[in-house]
Amino acid sequence: PRWETGEQTRPAEIFTEAFLLETKYTGESAAEKLSRLREKLKELDADAIAVSKLDNIAWLFNIRSGDIENNPVVISYAFVSKEEAVLFTESGRIPACVRDDLAKEGVSIRGYEEIYSFLESTGSKLQVLCDKEELNGELAALIENNAALTAVPGEDPIPLMKACKNKTENENTHSAYLKDGCALAEFYGWLFEELDKGTPLTEYDCVEKLAECRKAQPLNRGDSFTPIIAYRENAAMMHYAPKPGVSKQLDKSHMLLIDSGGQYLEGTTDITRTFALGEINETERFDFTLTLKGSIALMEAVFKYGASGKQLDALCREYFWREGLDYRCGTGHGVGFMLNVHEGPQGFGSPVKLEEGMVLTVEPGVYREGEHGIRTENVVGVVKGDDTEYGQMMKFENFTLVPIDVNCLDIAMLTDHEIKWLNDYHAKVWEKVSPLVSERAKNWLYRYTRPVSR
């Protein structure tokens, strides 16, 4: 009854077995999160909240599943008041051990569709927070039309709570990116060896091999999004994804862009690298170096607490604007923790102030239609810098551990500071990743983490 089909048939929901993400990964139990949420509701003069966004629910209850490809959320609704916390989902997919653990955390389970009758029939006099940017329209209408409930307009506190990763999540995220660095080293070691042997390869062959390399890593739960693996002019399409049988053949020339990520129990990864497969032209070299300069400028930023990502965006784009260039996408988005690879409210196009613990991508690029696309993406976390007489300074720490192709650089375009940053970064990648990978991957790492100089 709630689906406007026209000539289309509503796809069936897929309810896979749910599991709890342990506190050794999350750093905070569901009961602790519920307690914090109730305190925030009190500050907003609300008694309760209905939740329909799946990543908000998954985070709040520390519950995950495979209902939606690449996004380990649980198809569900939730309702939290002072007295109760209810998860509405297909109960048959909740193992008894998960049900028992949730009960200990103060969470009860009801059927997925019961959220509607629950809201329609409740006689409790409750002030229910309604953020129409976060709550679906029908649930908001049910709350507004129930005489026992009073809709309280306000901002749902869960997205900001979720965005600020705690110390445990931060430490685990470093572990996830180390595993991902190992997976990428194994992949690129294989790729360049096969190209040297003359093995015919397509973009889609790389999709399959990269998935294999990630799955070999401990605690991996698949991809965090459909990989973008684009050769030459295909890379100018920012969200191009190759398909079996129709993807481009690779040659030992020009550039290959790979934007991909993994889901690990320790966190969600997102990484883009552009590598030369052979000779590149001067325009490609210029664009690659320019992209790196913009990336370094933003990753090295120091800013006063209270600044937003939107205010910092120009630190990166300035390098492109000087050359009459720009990119028609955001400089970076928030990243979830073993959740959606795109997470708000933080981002470099967002007016939301950057808080300690937020995780964001830094991914500028140059896209020349019919020629090439270049993107370099690292993921960073917001941390405290110096506490000065002018206020608390903030900065970024880097999570990503994958080399940047030094063969694509015009060294004359780089400052001494940028060269030092690159050499220090590659020394760290070598130190962290090389002891954990195969000999082939180690040999590849050695070639691509060598110091550069003028």
Side-chain angles (χ1 to χ4, degrees):
R2 285 175 288 276
W3 183 264
E4 297 296 332
T5 59
E7 297 181 356
Q8 303 211 355
T9 302
R10 178 178 180 172
E13 290 101 352
I14 298 173
F15 297 102
T16 60
E17 185 171 284
F19 66 96
L20 290 181
L21 195 59
E22 299 174 68
T23 54
K24 68 180 180 180
Y25 301 122
T26 66
E28 191 176 19
S29 68
E32 290 169 321
K33 291 178 179 180
L34 287 165
S35 177
R36 283 207 292 135
L37 175 60
R38 287 172 174 135
E39 284 298 316
K40 291 185 179 295
L41 291 175
K42 185 177 178 181
E43 293 170 9
L44 295 166
D45 295 321
D47 305 311
I49 185 172
V51 190
S52 61
K53 285 193 74 173
L54 302 187
D55 57 332
N56 289 349
I57 297 168
W59 175 85
L60 183 62
F61 296 137
N62 289 339
I63 192 167
R64 304 290 193 273
S65 78
D67 293 356
I68 297 175
E69 187 177 8
N70 304 141
N71 302 306
V73 294
V74 179
I75 292 178
S76 57
Y77 298 105
F79 187 83
V80 178
S81 67
K82 293 177 183 178
E83 291 76 27
E84 62 181 338
V86 187
L87 173 66
F88 297 89
T89 190
E90 173 56 49
S91 58
R93 56 91 144 262
I94 306 290
C97 59
V98 173
R99 185 183 296 270
D100 291 344
D101 286 344
L102 284 172
K104 291 173 186 175
E105 300 288 324
V107 180
S108 61
I109 297 171
R110 299 196 185 195
Y112 177 53
E113 295 285 348
E114 287 185 45
I115 180 70
Y116 299 99
S117 59
F118 177 87
L119 289 176
E120 288 168 340
S121 62
T122 184
S124 302
K125 298 287 187 181
L126 294 173
Q127 304 272 107
V128 183
L129 184 70
C130 272
D131 180 347
K132 293 186 179 180
E133 294 296 316
E134 295 291 315
L135 183 64
N136 77 37
E138 186 166 8
L139 293 185
L142 282 174
I143 293 167
E144 290 170 344
N145 295 330
N146 186 329
L149 304 177
T150 301
V152 177
E155 188 173 306
D156 185 339
I158 297 175
L160 187 56
M161 294 169 67
K162 171 166 55 70
C164 299
K165 312 306 188 272
N166 59 43
K167 182 181 177 182
T168 300
E169 289 173 313
N170 183 278
E171 291 171 351
N172 279 313
T173 299
H174 278 291
S175 296
Y177 277 88
L178 176 56
K179 289 181 170 65
D180 221 46
C182 292
L184 268 292
E186 297 292 353
F187 167 78
Y188 281 114
W190 166 84
L191 173 64
F192 282 94
E193 182 176 88
E194 293 303 306
L195 288 172
D196 286 344
K197 291 192 298 190
T199 304
L201 292 175
T202 66
E203 295 163 327
Y204 194 75
D205 291 330
C206 294
V207 170
E208 295 184 311
K209 183 64 178 182
L210 184 52
E212 177 187 314
C213 291
R214 278 204 170 95
K215 285 176 183 175
Q217 291 298 317
L219 307 181
N220 177 262
R221 291 298 183 101
D223 291 339
S224 59
F225 58 98
T226 301
I228 298 166
I229 299 186
Y231 181 53
R232 296 194 67 171
E233 68 272 15
N234 285 349
M237 298 181 279
M238 282 181 273
H239 296 100
Y240 166 86
K243 304 216 170 16
V246 292
S247 65
K248 198 172 184 65
Q249 185 91 23
L250 307 186
D251 293 316
K252 290 191 69 177
S253 63
H254 296 286
M255 308 175 94
L256 177 68
L257 182 153
I258 299 183
D259 185 352
S260 67
Q263 294 287 8
Y264 300 83
L265 295 183
E266 296 159 303
T268 299
T269 68
D270 188 359
I271 164 72
T272 308
R273 287 292 183 265
T274 308
F275 277 90
L277 301 188
E279 289 298 317
I280 63 173
N281 61 45
E282 288 308 305
T283 302
E284 289 170 315
R285 189 174 300 280
F286 176 85
D287 291 349
F288 185 95
T289 310
L290 190 69
T291 298
L292 178 60
K293 289 173 74 69
S295 297
I296 293 173
L298 186 50
M299 288 189 285
E300 287 276 87
V302 176
F303 53 98
K304 189 176 175 181
Y305 176 72
S308 68
K310 190 171 185 178
Q311 290 173 307
L312 300 183
D313 189 51
L315 296 177
C316 184
R317 289 188 190 264
E318 177 193 9
Y319 290 85
F320 301 85
W321 294 341
R322 287 177 182 174
E323 304 298 331
L325 297 170
D326 202 357
Y327 41 94
R328 297 180 178 91
C329 61
T331 298
H333 55 83
V335 182
F337 181 85
M338 193 9 185
L339 268 177
N340 298 353
V341 74
H342 280 249
E343 176 181 271
Q346 74 275 32
F348 287 111
S350 168
V352 172
K353 70 180 177 182
L354 296 175
E355 300 280 358
E356 183 180 16
M358 285 181 169
V359 175
L360 306 98
T361 65
V362 176
E363 48 179 316
V366 177
Y367 307 93
R368 297 186 188 269
E369 187 175 353
E371 297 180 32
H372 62 259
I374 293 163
R375 181 161 63 251
T376 297
E377 176 187 23
N378 275 31
V379 171
V380 297
V382 180
V383 296
K384 288 182 178 179
D386 294 333
D387 188 1
T388 75
E389 63 177 300
Y390 300 103
Q392 177 66 57
M393 299 300 167
M394 309 295 285
K395 58 184 180 179
F396 298 115
E397 69 168 348
N398 175 69
F399 289 112
T400 306
L401 293 168
V402 179
I404 294 162
D405 192 354
V406 295
N407 299 307
C408 296
L409 291 170
D410 180 349
I411 298 296
M413 289 175 60
L414 297 178
T415 66
D416 290 344
H417 177 80
E418 289 163 341
I419 291 171
K420 182 179 186 307
W421 182 93
L422 185 62
N423 287 338
D424 289 347
Y425 174 71
H426 278 157
K428 182 179 179 182
V429 172
W430 172 258
E431 176 193 353
K432 297 284 187 182
V433 178
S434 65
L436 304 175
V437 295
S438 67
E439 199 62 29
R440 177 173 65 188
K442 187 180 291 189
N443 289 337
W444 177 83
L445 271 175
Y446 181 79
R447 293 197 304 274
Y448 282 86
T449 57
R450 68 185 188 273
V452 298
S453 59
R454 294 198 186 282

